[in-house]
Amino acid sequence: MNQGVLDMSQRWEMRPGLADFARDSGTRTLLDHVGRSEGMPALIRCHVCGDDSAAPFIREGCWQYYRCRGCGLVFLHPQPSEAFLDEHYQHYLPTGGPARMAWRRMMQPMTASSAALLEQRCRRPGRLLDVGCGHGFFLKAMADRGWAVEGIEISATGRDYARDVFGLKVSGQPLPRADFADGQFDVITLFYVIEHLTNPRAVLAEVRRLLRPGGLVLLRWPHTAPLVRLLRPWAESLKLYQAPSHLFDFAPRSMTILLNDLDFQRIETTIGGWTRPENRQARLAAAVFGRIAAGLDELSHGHWLLPGVSKTTLALRGGSA
């Protein structure tokens, strides 16, 4: 959930950090959470295009990222265990009134832009599922616009707030979901979620199943690799990927390949607004680069997307089944 220097929307320290988690775990070791190397394949294949030419890209502490030469996908290898990630994300969202409201103010311009994009493409309010809905701020805004909303959030902190304060229907069970019927949603949104998923392909395949034919998916995702290259002498200490939080870092090409593979149609990647951090310098940087990126996007009709800033991708579920 970090977009580096240009868009500091998610620059929260890992809670707990790897060292804290290891210390609190008693006898558990790092290898218990990362997995052992026995039987690991010699070639590391890209999760999106299957290319086996991935090369080391950057290391953050003990975590190694690779970059696919074929499609540009950056990915963590090996990944932490599911048990580690589940515990990690229980402490990821900010807690307490001031921090929670700062998060809301930071995300509001971007989520408002996303709501406008959705309503431009949908003739009337329908059923919306927000995967990784956090505290439910976007869901509440869409409910106020007349949408029937539902959320998924694995963090108990966010889930309880969305339920107790806004009265929203939010589940802690992630996708895939056997209890959800085919085609039951008109829109599914994932804000800064795709980079955290252990298997983005499987989750997006489930998103396609849950959308009605012609239904719309909206993905908001960071594009950090250009910043890593630009700031390489300092990139490891800056922790631009907040390892191990970000398991993937997509590029426009890799995102398009993945959605095409899953039979999504009319794939469009745009800038889609920017965030408003509390820190004055970060807020100024986000606004300046966000406006530049949006201007270039509009002038080029989507052909030139400024590297290093977050992107919004929309795609339609094609087919009849």
Side-chain angles (χ1 to χ4, degrees):
M1 294 188 182
N2 161 40
Q3 300 153 63
V5 173
L6 302 187
D7 184 359
M8 306 284 284
S9 66
Q10 309 285 341
R11 286 302 303 271
W12 300 87
E13 292 297 323
M14 277 200 306
R15 293 182 292 271
L18 176 63
D20 296 330
F21 187 79
R23 181 172 60 250
D24 295 341
S25 318
T27 59
R28 288 180 290 180
T29 67
L30 177 60
L31 285 176
D32 294 323
H33 302 301
V34 176
R36 301 178 185 276
S37 60
E38 291 86 359
M40 201 173 282
L43 297 177
I44 302 173
R45 294 195 177 275
C46 175
H47 298 250
V48 167
C49 71
D51 194 285
D52 61 7
S53 65
F57 185 59
I58 189 173
R59 191 174 185 88
E60 290 189 5
C62 63
W63 307 99
Q64 179 65 58
Y65 287 89
Y66 293 81
R67 184 175 183 273
C68 173
R69 292 190 176 100
C71 69
L73 180 75
V74 174
F75 55 93
L76 181 65
H77 181 85
Q79 290 186 358
S81 69
E82 293 280 359
F84 173 82
L85 291 172
D86 183 67
E87 174 68 18
H88 176 64
Y89 287 120
Q90 296 309 312
H91 306 272
Y92 195 84
L93 290 173
T95 57
R100 189 183 297 116
M101 290 303 104
W103 182 283
R104 182 177 195 174
R105 289 189 297 270
M106 179 177 65
M107 301 296 286
Q108 195 278 329
M110 183 272 298
T111 53
S113 176
S114 298
L117 284 172
L118 293 176
E119 294 195 330
Q120 287 170 11
R121 289 160 173 76
C122 301
R123 284 181 286 182
R124 63 181 67 86
R127 297 196 64 191
L128 181 147
L129 174 68
D130 188 19
V131 180
C133 67
H135 298 99
F137 299 131
F138 176 73
L139 281 180
K140 177 62 166 60
M142 296 306 286
D144 290 344
R145 291 171 179 247
W147 290 72
V149 301
E150 189 168 343
I152 294 174
E153 177 52 60
I154 64 171
S155 165
T157 298
R159 188 169 65 244
D160 291 347
Y161 187 88
R163 289 171 175 173
D164 298 342
V165 176
F166 296 135
L168 296 168
K169 182 179 181 182
V170 177
S171 167
Q173 183 181 344
L175 298 181
R177 291 282 296 271
D179 57 322
F180 280 163
D182 293 359
Q184 74 175 74
F185 294 103
D186 299 289
V187 171
I188 298 179
T189 56
L190 299 90
F191 292 97
Y192 298 113
V193 169
I194 194 74
E195 67 272 19
H196 296 270
L197 300 174
T198 58
N199 191 340
R201 183 180 293 273
V203 171
L204 288 178
E206 178 73 347
V207 165
R208 186 187 184 281
R209 182 185 75 82
L210 297 179
L211 285 171
R212 63 167 177 80
L216 184 68
V217 62
L218 183 149
L219 299 155
R220 178 73 176 183
W221 46 278
H223 184 200
T224 310
L227 293 177
V228 173
R229 289 195 294 266
L230 179 66
L231 302 172
R232 185 164 294 280
W234 309 278
E236 182 172 349
S237 61
L238 287 172
K239 297 183 178 179
L240 297 177
Y241 288 125
Q242 293 186 359
S245 295
H246 290 201
L247 304 179
F248 295 94
D249 180 20
F250 287 85
R253 173 173 163 76
S254 55
M255 181 62 72
T256 299
I257 290 172
L258 179 56
L259 290 169
N260 268 325
D261 283 352
L262 295 169
D263 199 29
F264 283 94
Q265 301 175 2
R266 294 173 61 183
I267 301 164
E268 175 189 355
T269 295
T270 184
I271 297 302
W274 53 90
T275 56
R276 191 176 187 273
E278 290 291 297
N279 177 276
R280 183 176 298 177
Q281 289 78 18
R283 185 166 65 248
L284 177 62
V288 168
F289 288 105
R291 290 181 190 279
I292 292 172
L296 291 171
D297 183 15
E298 184 176 358
L299 287 171
S300 67
H301 302 287
H303 293 295
W304 210 91
L305 300 171
L306 187 67
V309 299
S310 288
K311 310 294 190 292
T312 295
T313 297
L314 300 106
L316 296 180
R317 180 217 193 270
S320 58

